[in-house]
Amino acid sequence: MNNLPAEYYRDRLAHYTHELNNQQQRVNRLSNARLIVFGIGVLLSLLAAAWSGYASLVVVVVSLVLFSWLVARYRQAYSQAEASRALVQFFDRGLQRIEDRWAGSGVVTTTPYEPGVEHPYAADLDLFGTGSLFELLRLGWSPMGDQSLSNWLLHPADRVTALDRQDAVKELSPRTDEREKAAVLAIGLSDFQDQHLREWVNQPPPVWLSWERFATDIIVVLNAVCLAAWLGGYIPGYAPLVSLVAMIWWSNRLNPRTSDTLRGLDRQSERLQTLAELLRFFEQQTYQSPLLRKLLGDLKSGTQASTAIAELAGLAQKLDWPRNAFFIPIALLLLWWTRLAFKVSDWRNFAGAHVNHWLEALGQLETLHSLAAFSFEHPDYTFPDIIAEGRVFEAEQLGHPLLKAEQCRCNDVSFGQEPQMLLISGSNMSGKSTLLRTVGISVVLSLAGAPVKAKALRLSVLYPGATLRVQDSLQSGISRFYAEILRLRQLLDLAQEKPLLFLVDEILAGTNSAERQKGAAGILQALLDRGAIGLATTHDLALTEIAAGWQPRARNMHFADTWKDEKISFDYQLYPGVVSHGNALALMRAVGLQV
């Protein structure tokens, strides 16, 4: 393994750990200083009040000024400590990935974008959950990035798109400083409710007529004039009361539309400001690859994304002002919510149509950086050659990226035209299912634009479909066998629409040998006739006769094992031909079963 990424991460981790320790000490000192100044200020004010009221006032003012200064310094120090803490987590997480310590390490591994059991390969290839490909790749800056990464893993891209992603990932791979800064800017954005924002901007805003806006301003001015005139003794008390009643009536008349307009901004100012800063950071970057340049263009479509979102954040902040009890009377007199609704409505009319494009672009930038970090951390991985014609998968020394380095065994795997299918036999635990997952996850990575764990990989655009994890369902009332044949039906349908890569594990294991052999032959024949290519596994040696009779369209391959001194061992290497023996009885005897 190339240790340069690990050494770099260790150096950065040590640096920011030291920074965090120093900054945390500073935060603690300032926190204690605030308490001390507050306490001393109160004590001195009481003593000064007994001696002189003027001296007491001076002490209070000085104490408040010093306390305010300490509060400002505390907030600055706390912010710096949070930035260092984010970077400590960033580099520690990267080091965990390099050292194969990442699985289930406390990072969120679930996603609302995970598909159901009907997806043809997500569960089979361990795309989501603890120890999954999603967990390995995810940077986790924002929910937009999570959604984009999920989509790329679940929906294989076409060749042009995959190659564009490759170019972008290659360009971003060495830009570790960019990922470092983005990780800091994205603090607090992981729980941003982007779906609420999307739904909010996609709904047409309430219509505000020009005369309603004019009337609102007039009512505010008249109310202020009446109040000032009454306070000056120029008019009787009933006049401002009448004006106030009129203002309340007008506010209530507009309130339904006001509430509809402002509902999506409640308590969102900080996250929107964070989003604006992250957008501004990416807008300032310069890229060469076509996809990255396109995404930057999307951030500037209609208007500058960061500027518009910052303006929305400012409006959201103004919505929070009346939460201060001292500001509520002013807000009521100014018809604050109604007039703010006018501005928010104008913003939605001007920028709302672009928000989805901005969030999509930002999510894709994060996903590209996720894949770039994966590439940087694994310099021995290779970018696949994605060809335009035919259906082919040719790999040299292909390995599974989710396995620890010391556990992973690499194999040469080639199929496509001749043979169109590999039928892999072997005993239990010999590596058959792992090979299927290795091939499938390599296709997913390739078409997402990422490098793969291989010396070389040449493939066409393929859509995986697998039966590795089909299960029975008590709720649905179906057996595992029935679930398997439903999935096989799904794969046959997909093969008519897409260039299918089938990964069929222990085909039709839930039925008797005679029906299994006939059914397997018919299903595999139908898949091949529809142009699909792929792998099928079995430990039923009778099924290997299928491949033997279909040469050169199909080929038998196998995994072997050795049994010595009551111990079984596997080399997890793929060999030509049919396996010569099984190991089920030996395994049963090894665990004490009398068979």
Side-chain angles (χ1 to χ4, degrees):
M1 177 188 293
N2 190 324
N3 289 322
L4 290 179
E7 292 174 3
Y8 174 77
Y9 278 12
R10 289 191 190 99
D11 289 344
R12 302 302 285 169
L13 178 59
H15 170 75
Y16 285 114
T17 299
H18 178 72
E19 288 286 311
L20 177 59
N21 290 335
N22 291 339
Q23 289 161 356
Q24 191 59 56
Q25 291 175 10
R26 185 163 177 259
V27 168
N28 294 337
R29 288 196 300 268
L30 289 169
S31 179
N32 293 333
R34 287 187 310 168
L35 293 175
I36 292 171
V37 167
F38 181 80
I40 292 176
V42 171
L43 180 61
L44 289 178
S45 296
L46 293 175
L47 292 174
W51 174 54
S52 167
Y54 176 76
S56 175
L57 179 61
V58 172
V59 169
V60 169
V61 171
V62 171
S63 298
L64 284 175
V65 170
L66 182 56
F67 182 77
S68 299
W69 179 80
L70 287 172
V71 167
R73 296 298 298 272
Y74 172 83
R75 289 176 177 173
Q76 181 185 34
Y78 183 82
S79 178
Q80 292 172 346
E82 285 298 292
S84 293
R85 183 174 287 107
L87 290 172
V88 166
Q89 294 173 351
F90 176 78
F91 286 109
D92 183 52
R93 175 68 179 155
L95 199 57
Q96 288 175 7
R97 290 193 293 264
I98 293 173
E99 296 176 348
D100 292 327
R101 298 183 289 109
W102 55 272
S105 58
V107 176
V108 176
T109 57
T110 58
T111 168
Y113 315 107
E114 185 174 351
V117 295
E118 70 280 357
H119 193 275
Y121 64 83
D124 307 85
L125 302 183
D126 304 299
L127 294 193
F128 299 98
T130 300
S132 65
L133 184 61
F134 180 80
E135 183 185 2
L136 174 62
L137 297 175
R138 176 180 183 261
L139 289 178
W141 296 340
S142 72
M144 295 81 74
D146 285 352
Q147 181 178 12
S148 177
L149 177 59
S150 299
N151 287 338
W152 288 18
L153 298 181
L154 293 171
H155 305 288
D158 58 60
R159 178 175 180 269
V160 173
T161 301
L163 291 177
D164 282 345
R165 292 174 180 175
Q166 271 192 21
D167 289 341
V169 170
K170 290 175 182 177
E171 182 175 349
L172 292 177
S173 180
R175 299 176 75 151
T176 55
D177 288 347
E178 188 172 319
R179 284 189 287 279
E180 182 178 326
K181 292 176 182 176
V184 172
L185 291 172
I187 293 175
L189 204 58
S190 59
D191 60 351
F192 174 61
Q193 300 294 320
D194 68 303
Q195 290 300 323
H196 291 174
L197 179 61
R198 293 173 192 264
E199 293 170 3
W200 181 68
V201 298
N202 287 337
Q203 295 172 357
V207 176
W208 300 100
L209 301 176
S210 299
W211 72 267
E212 290 176 321
R213 298 182 183 226
F214 179 74
T216 300
D217 291 337
I218 292 298
I219 289 173
V220 169
V221 171
L222 288 177
N223 192 66
V225 170
C226 286
L227 184 61
W230 172 69
L231 291 174
Y234 297 105
I235 59 175
Y238 69 83
L241 182 61
V242 170
S243 175
L244 183 62
V245 169
M247 184 177 68
I248 293 173
W249 172 82
W250 182 252
S251 176
N252 287 335
R253 180 182 182 276
L254 301 182
N255 185 63
R257 282 180 286 166
T258 299
S259 298
D260 287 344
T261 303
L262 299 179
R263 186 173 293 117
L265 289 184
D266 190 38
R267 300 182 185 275
Q268 292 296 317
S269 59
E270 290 187 7
R271 289 177 178 82
L272 287 170
Q273 187 58 46
T274 299
L275 176 62
E277 291 172 0
L278 187 60
L279 287 166
R280 185 176 297 109
F281 170 72
F282 279 116
E283 288 169 354
Q284 293 169 349
Q285 304 307 310
T286 302
Y287 298 122
Q288 300 301 319
S289 73
L291 178 56
L292 290 172
R293 292 166 69 93
K294 175 188 176 298
L295 293 175
L296 284 188
D298 289 343
L299 293 182
K300 300 173 184 178
S301 63
T303 183
Q304 192 100 341
S306 61
T307 302
I309 296 297
E311 182 181 348
L312 184 63
L315 294 172
Q317 188 177 40
K318 291 179 180 178
L319 181 61
D320 293 336
W321 286 3
R323 298 185 189 282
N324 186 320
F326 294 103
F327 188 75
I328 290 179
I330 300 174
L332 292 172
L333 292 173
L334 294 177
L335 287 176
W336 187 261
W337 295 273
T338 304
R339 297 170 70 205
L340 187 61
F342 296 157
K343 295 180 180 179
V344 171
S345 184
D346 290 340
W347 185 93
R348 286 172 64 177
N349 286 324
F350 173 68
H354 305 289
V355 169
N356 280 320
H357 297 295
W358 297 337
L359 296 180
E360 290 289 338
L362 184 61
Q364 290 190 45
L365 283 167
E366 181 180 337
T367 298
L368 289 169
H369 264 298
S370 296
L371 302 182
F374 179 69
S375 175
F376 174 80
E377 293 160 5
H378 300 89
D380 51 338
Y381 287 15
T382 185
F383 283 92
D385 177 19
I386 305 175
I387 64 173
E389 301 295 333
R391 299 184 181 186
V392 65
F393 185 95
E394 299 174 351
E396 295 181 37
Q397 293 301 293
L398 184 71
H400 200 301
L402 303 185
L403 291 176
K404 294 182 178 181
E406 64 270 17
Q407 297 175 341
C408 185
R409 299 294 181 270
C410 298
N411 281 283
D412 295 346
V413 186
S414 295
F415 55 93
Q417 297 302 317
E418 289 187 3
Q420 193 175 346
M421 176 187 75
L422 298 181
L423 183 58
I424 303 168
S425 55
S427 55
N428 296 285
M429 303 192 305
S430 60
K432 304 187 303 297
S433 299
T434 299
L435 179 66
L436 266 61
R437 291 191 174 94
T438 302
V439 170
I441 207 167
S442 298
V443 170
V444 171
L445 281 170
S446 298
L447 299 181
V452 295
K453 188 172 186 176
K455 182 179 179 181
L457 175 60
R458 179 174 176 268
L459 78 161
S460 56
V461 172
L462 298 168
Y463 193 95
T467 65
L468 286 147
R469 282 219 173 94
V470 290
Q471 299 178 6
D472 58 354
S473 173
L474 181 64
Q475 289 78 15
S476 302
I478 61 174
S479 66
R480 186 199 180 282
F481 176 75
Y482 191 67
E484 181 186 7
I485 61 176
L486 287 177
R487 174 61 60 84
L488 290 170
R489 174 73 262 177
Q490 181 185 18
L491 299 191
L492 286 167
D493 293 340
L494 283 173
Q496 291 183 312
E497 305 169 3
K498 303 175 183 294
L500 180 70
L501 167 72
F502 62 86
L503 305 166
V504 180
D505 192 37
E506 300 295 348
I507 185 170
L508 303 182
T511 188
N512 62 71
S513 182
E515 289 185 324
R516 182 183 193 187
Q517 189 167 3
K518 184 175 181 180
I523 292 169
L524 294 175
Q525 179 75 56
L527 286 170
L528 298 182
D529 288 345
R530 298 181 187 195
I533 66 173
L535 310 176
T537 70
T538 184
H539 59 250
D540 184 349
L541 299 185
L543 292 183
T544 61
E545 298 175 7
I546 296 174
W550 290 355
Q551 292 184 7
R553 198 178 190 187
R555 180 181 301 163
N556 276 309
M557 304 290 288
H558 75 278
F559 286 98
D561 64 86
T562 56
W563 188 267
K564 185 177 181 181
D565 299 329
E566 300 300 317
K567 292 183 179 180
I568 192 170
S569 61
F570 306 96
D571 62 7
Y572 304 109
Q573 296 299 309
L574 190 61
Y575 298 99
V578 179
V579 68
S580 59
H581 65 278
N583 66 2
L585 291 176
L587 285 173
M588 286 186 274
R589 291 167 184 151
V591 298
L593 296 176
Q594 300 300 315
V595 294

PDB file of all heavy atoms in Angstrom, residues 554-570:
ATOM      1  N   ALA A 554     -20.628 -20.455 -22.497  1.00  0.00           N
ATOM      2  CA  ALA A 554     -20.507 -20.509 -21.046  1.00  0.00           C
ATOM      3  C   ALA A 554     -19.246 -21.291 -20.685  1.00  0.00           C
ATOM      4  O   ALA A 554     -18.756 -22.108 -21.481  1.00  0.00           O
ATOM      5  CB  ALA A 554     -21.736 -21.168 -20.432  1.00  0.00           C
ATOM      6  N   ARG A 555     -18.740 -21.032 -19.505  1.00  0.00           N
ATOM      7  CA  ARG A 555     -17.513 -21.695 -19.072  1.00  0.00           C
ATOM      8  C   ARG A 555     -17.615 -22.004 -17.580  1.00  0.00           C
ATOM      9  O   ARG A 555     -18.096 -21.206 -16.794  1.00  0.00           O
ATOM     10  CB  ARG A 555     -16.301 -20.805 -19.332  1.00  0.00           C
ATOM     11  CG  ARG A 555     -14.966 -21.421 -18.912  1.00  0.00           C
ATOM     12  CD  ARG A 555     -13.824 -20.453 -19.183  1.00  0.00           C
ATOM     13  NE  ARG A 555     -13.760 -20.108 -20.607  1.00  0.00           N
ATOM     14  CZ  ARG A 555     -13.092 -19.068 -21.091  1.00  0.00           C
ATOM     15  NH1 ARG A 555     -12.465 -18.253 -20.249  1.00  0.00           N
ATOM     16  NH2 ARG A 555     -13.055 -18.835 -22.384  1.00  0.00           N
ATOM     17  N   ASN A 556     -17.131 -23.192 -17.215  1.00  0.00           N
ATOM     18  CA  ASN A 556     -17.070 -23.589 -15.813  1.00  0.00           C
ATOM     19  C   ASN A 556     -15.792 -23.055 -15.166  1.00  0.00           C
ATOM     20  O   ASN A 556     -14.700 -23.161 -15.729  1.00  0.00           O
ATOM     21  CB  ASN A 556     -17.103 -25.112 -15.675  1.00  0.00           C
ATOM     22  CG  ASN A 556     -18.514 -25.664 -15.695  1.00  0.00           C
ATOM     23  OD1 ASN A 556     -19.381 -25.196 -14.960  1.00  0.00           O
ATOM     24  ND2 ASN A 556     -18.757 -26.664 -16.543  1.00  0.00           N
ATOM     25  N   MET A 557     -15.946 -22.464 -13.980  1.00  0.00           N
ATOM     26  CA  MET A 557     -14.828 -22.032 -13.154  1.00  0.00           C
ATOM     27  C   MET A 557     -15.118 -22.502 -11.727  1.00  0.00           C
ATOM     28  O   MET A 557     -16.260 -22.842 -11.396  1.00  0.00           O
ATOM     29  CB  MET A 557     -14.668 -20.517 -13.178  1.00  0.00           C
ATOM     30  CG  MET A 557     -14.510 -19.914 -14.568  1.00  0.00           C
ATOM     31  SD  MET A 557     -12.936 -20.284 -15.360  1.00  0.00           S
ATOM     32  CE  MET A 557     -11.814 -19.270 -14.401  1.00  0.00           C
ATOM     33  N   HIS A 558     -14.101 -22.516 -10.879  1.00  0.00           N
ATOM     34  CA  HIS A 558     -14.365 -22.983  -9.519  1.00  0.00           C
ATOM     35  C   HIS A 558     -13.398 -22.392  -8.511  1.00  0.00           C
ATOM     36  O   HIS A 558     -12.317 -21.908  -8.861  1.00  0.00           O
ATOM     37  CB  HIS A 558     -14.314 -24.512  -9.454  1.00  0.00           C
ATOM     38  CG  HIS A 558     -12.918 -25.077  -9.509  1.00  0.00           C
ATOM     39  ND1 HIS A 558     -12.229 -25.268 -10.687  1.00  0.00           N
ATOM     40  CD2 HIS A 558     -12.074 -25.490  -8.508  1.00  0.00           C
ATOM     41  CE1 HIS A 558     -11.053 -25.788 -10.431  1.00  0.00           C
ATOM     42  NE2 HIS A 558     -10.911 -25.929  -9.120  1.00  0.00           N
ATOM     43  N   PHE A 559     -13.826 -22.451  -7.233  1.00  0.00           N
ATOM     44  CA  PHE A 559     -12.969 -22.167  -6.089  1.00  0.00           C
ATOM     45  C   PHE A 559     -12.690 -23.486  -5.374  1.00  0.00           C
ATOM     46  O   PHE A 559     -13.579 -24.334  -5.249  1.00  0.00           O
ATOM     47  CB  PHE A 559     -13.641 -21.195  -5.119  1.00  0.00           C
ATOM     48  CG  PHE A 559     -13.677 -19.774  -5.611  1.00  0.00           C
ATOM     49  CD1 PHE A 559     -14.807 -19.261  -6.226  1.00  0.00           C
ATOM     50  CD2 PHE A 559     -12.576 -18.951  -5.450  1.00  0.00           C
ATOM     51  CE1 PHE A 559     -14.850 -17.945  -6.662  1.00  0.00           C
ATOM     52  CE2 PHE A 559     -12.602 -17.631  -5.896  1.00  0.00           C
ATOM     53  CZ  PHE A 559     -13.734 -17.139  -6.504  1.00  0.00           C
ATOM     54  N   ALA A 560     -11.483 -23.638  -4.874  1.00  0.00           N
ATOM     55  CA  ALA A 560     -11.079 -24.894  -4.250  1.00  0.00           C
ATOM     56  C   ALA A 560     -10.826 -24.701  -2.760  1.00  0.00           C
ATOM     57  O   ALA A 560     -10.720 -23.579  -2.261  1.00  0.00           O
ATOM     58  CB  ALA A 560      -9.818 -25.436  -4.934  1.00  0.00           C
ATOM     59  N   ASP A 561     -10.753 -25.822  -2.046  1.00  0.00           N
ATOM     60  CA  ASP A 561     -10.384 -25.798  -0.641  1.00  0.00           C
ATOM     61  C   ASP A 561      -9.537 -27.022  -0.339  1.00  0.00           C
ATOM     62  O   ASP A 561      -9.522 -27.991  -1.109  1.00  0.00           O
ATOM     63  CB  ASP A 561     -11.631 -25.785   0.242  1.00  0.00           C
ATOM     64  CG  ASP A 561     -12.460 -27.047   0.089  1.00  0.00           C
ATOM     65  OD1 ASP A 561     -12.165 -28.037   0.785  1.00  0.00           O
ATOM     66  OD2 ASP A 561     -13.395 -27.045  -0.745  1.00  0.00           O
ATOM     67  N   THR A 562      -8.821 -26.983   0.749  1.00  0.00           N
ATOM     68  CA  THR A 562      -8.010 -28.127   1.184  1.00  0.00           C
ATOM     69  C   THR A 562      -8.352 -28.444   2.635  1.00  0.00           C
ATOM     70  O   THR A 562      -8.666 -27.548   3.423  1.00  0.00           O
ATOM     71  CB  THR A 562      -6.504 -27.830   1.074  1.00  0.00           C
ATOM     72  OG1 THR A 562      -6.202 -26.653   1.832  1.00  0.00           O
ATOM     73  CG2 THR A 562      -6.106 -27.608  -0.375  1.00  0.00           C
ATOM     74  N   TRP A 563      -8.309 -29.731   2.959  1.00  0.00           N
ATOM     75  CA  TRP A 563      -8.633 -30.194   4.306  1.00  0.00           C
ATOM     76  C   TRP A 563      -7.450 -30.988   4.834  1.00  0.00           C
ATOM     77  O   TRP A 563      -7.050 -31.987   4.259  1.00  0.00           O
ATOM     78  CB  TRP A 563      -9.884 -31.074   4.248  1.00  0.00           C
ATOM     79  CG  TRP A 563     -10.398 -31.443   5.608  1.00  0.00           C
ATOM     80  CD1 TRP A 563     -10.095 -32.547   6.324  1.00  0.00           C
ATOM     81  CD2 TRP A 563     -11.301 -30.681   6.396  1.00  0.00           C
ATOM     82  NE1 TRP A 563     -10.737 -32.533   7.516  1.00  0.00           N
ATOM     83  CE2 TRP A 563     -11.502 -31.396   7.593  1.00  0.00           C
ATOM     84  CE3 TRP A 563     -11.963 -29.475   6.219  1.00  0.00           C
ATOM     85  CZ2 TRP A 563     -12.332 -30.956   8.608  1.00  0.00           C
ATOM     86  CZ3 TRP A 563     -12.789 -29.040   7.222  1.00  0.00           C
ATOM     87  CH2 TRP A 563     -12.967 -29.767   8.403  1.00  0.00           C
ATOM     88  N   LYS A 564      -6.891 -30.497   5.941  1.00  0.00           N
ATOM     89  CA  LYS A 564      -5.709 -31.151   6.494  1.00  0.00           C
ATOM     90  C   LYS A 564      -5.706 -31.001   8.006  1.00  0.00           C
ATOM     91  O   LYS A 564      -5.919 -29.907   8.523  1.00  0.00           O
ATOM     92  CB  LYS A 564      -4.436 -30.528   5.912  1.00  0.00           C
ATOM     93  CG  LYS A 564      -3.154 -31.233   6.352  1.00  0.00           C
ATOM     94  CD  LYS A 564      -1.942 -30.607   5.672  1.00  0.00           C
ATOM     95  CE  LYS A 564      -0.665 -31.309   6.080  1.00  0.00           C
ATOM     96  NZ  LYS A 564       0.529 -30.704   5.438  1.00  0.00           N
ATOM     97  N   ASP A 565      -5.460 -32.101   8.692  1.00  0.00           N
ATOM     98  CA  ASP A 565      -5.401 -32.102  10.159  1.00  0.00           C
ATOM     99  C   ASP A 565      -6.658 -31.506  10.761  1.00  0.00           C
ATOM    100  O   ASP A 565      -6.613 -30.678  11.675  1.00  0.00           O
ATOM    101  CB  ASP A 565      -4.166 -31.326  10.649  1.00  0.00           C
ATOM    102  CG  ASP A 565      -2.865 -31.948  10.163  1.00  0.00           C
ATOM    103  OD1 ASP A 565      -2.843 -33.181   9.998  1.00  0.00           O
ATOM    104  OD2 ASP A 565      -1.904 -31.198   9.947  1.00  0.00           O
ATOM    105  N   GLU A 566      -7.806 -31.968  10.243  1.00  0.00           N
ATOM    106  CA  GLU A 566      -9.106 -31.528  10.756  1.00  0.00           C
ATOM    107  C   GLU A 566      -9.343 -30.023  10.588  1.00  0.00           C
ATOM    108  O   GLU A 566     -10.161 -29.434  11.283  1.00  0.00           O
ATOM    109  CB  GLU A 566      -9.272 -31.904  12.230  1.00  0.00           C
ATOM    110  CG  GLU A 566      -9.183 -33.384  12.506  1.00  0.00           C
ATOM    111  CD  GLU A 566     -10.261 -34.174  11.744  1.00  0.00           C
ATOM    112  OE1 GLU A 566     -11.401 -33.703  11.721  1.00  0.00           O
ATOM    113  OE2 GLU A 566      -9.950 -35.235  11.191  1.00  0.00           O
ATOM    114  N   LYS A 567      -8.617 -29.388   9.695  1.00  0.00           N
ATOM    115  CA  LYS A 567      -8.796 -27.969   9.434  1.00  0.00           C
ATOM    116  C   LYS A 567      -8.988 -27.734   7.951  1.00  0.00           C
ATOM    117  O   LYS A 567      -8.329 -28.370   7.125  1.00  0.00           O
ATOM    118  CB  LYS A 567      -7.593 -27.165   9.926  1.00  0.00           C
ATOM    119  CG  LYS A 567      -7.444 -27.143  11.443  1.00  0.00           C
ATOM    120  CD  LYS A 567      -6.270 -26.261  11.858  1.00  0.00           C
ATOM    121  CE  LYS A 567      -6.130 -26.226  13.369  1.00  0.00           C
ATOM    122  NZ  LYS A 567      -4.977 -25.371  13.792  1.00  0.00           N
ATOM    123  N   ILE A 568      -9.894 -26.844   7.629  1.00  0.00           N
ATOM    124  CA  ILE A 568     -10.154 -26.504   6.235  1.00  0.00           C
ATOM    125  C   ILE A 568      -9.529 -25.158   5.916  1.00  0.00           C
ATOM    126  O   ILE A 568      -9.481 -24.263   6.757  1.00  0.00           O
ATOM    127  CB  ILE A 568     -11.671 -26.475   5.943  1.00  0.00           C
ATOM    128  CG1 ILE A 568     -11.924 -26.405   4.436  1.00  0.00           C
ATOM    129  CG2 ILE A 568     -12.345 -25.316   6.660  1.00  0.00           C
ATOM    130  CD1 ILE A 568     -13.382 -26.613   4.068  1.00  0.00           C
ATOM    131  N   SER A 569      -8.997 -24.998   4.730  1.00  0.00           N
ATOM    132  CA  SER A 569      -8.398 -23.728   4.319  1.00  0.00           C
ATOM    133  C   SER A 569      -8.805 -23.419   2.892  1.00  0.00           C
ATOM    134  O   SER A 569      -9.098 -24.318   2.094  1.00  0.00           O
ATOM    135  CB  SER A 569      -6.872 -23.779   4.429  1.00  0.00           C
ATOM    136  OG  SER A 569      -6.348 -24.785   3.578  1.00  0.00           O
ATOM    137  N   PHE A 570      -8.841 -22.127   2.586  1.00  0.00           N
ATOM    138  CA  PHE A 570      -9.240 -21.658   1.261  1.00  0.00           C
ATOM    139  C   PHE A 570      -8.168 -20.708   0.757  1.00  0.00           C
ATOM    140  O   PHE A 570      -7.586 -19.936   1.533  1.00  0.00           O
ATOM    141  CB  PHE A 570     -10.574 -20.912   1.322  1.00  0.00           C
ATOM    142  CG  PHE A 570     -11.687 -21.692   1.959  1.00  0.00           C
ATOM    143  CD1 PHE A 570     -12.000 -21.516   3.296  1.00  0.00           C
ATOM    144  CD2 PHE A 570     -12.434 -22.587   1.213  1.00  0.00           C
ATOM    145  CE1 PHE A 570     -13.039 -22.211   3.879  1.00  0.00           C
ATOM    146  CE2 PHE A 570     -13.478 -23.292   1.794  1.00  0.00           C
ATOM    147  CZ  PHE A 570     -13.776 -23.110   3.140  1.00  0.00           C
TER     148      PHE A 570
END
